[in-house]
Amino acid sequence: MIVSKDADFSHRILLTSPPPWVVHLRIGNMKRRDFHAFLVRVWPQVEMLLPSHKLISVYVDRIEALA
């Protein structure tokens, strides 16, 4: 699994076989304390999506998943 704020990794799923799971954090800059609290809040939903989705984009207000 790759967790990154870098968009290049989102494109990587199209180039490798089998593709890695990619969690793309599209949340902008945050203080470390706020970032940690955010991940604690959203990570359970990300974990539920991982087995069946190869790309998960996490935004401040939503999570989108691509099968």
Side-chain angles (χ1 to χ4, degrees):
M1 172 193 340
I2 298 169
V3 178
S4 177
K5 290 178 73 175
D6 188 343
D8 291 342
F9 289 107
S10 297
H11 302 292
R12 184 174 176 181
I13 64 169
L14 302 173
L15 303 175
T16 58
S17 179
W21 287 324
V22 175
V23 178
H24 187 182
L25 302 176
R26 305 181 85 173
I27 57 176
N29 294 328
M30 291 182 175
K31 293 181 180 178
R32 187 176 0 169
R33 177 180 53 232
D34 296 337
F35 178 70
H36 183 263
F38 176 78
L39 284 183
V40 166
R41 185 170 43 89
V42 301
W43 199 254
Q45 186 177 357
V46 170
E47 282 185 324
M48 287 185 351
L49 293 168
L50 278 174
S52 57
H53 296 85
K54 59 184 178 180
L55 173 61
I56 300 169
S57 296
V58 179
Y59 299 87
V60 172
D61 61 341
R62 68 189 185 284
I63 297 175
E64 296 177 357
L66 176 69

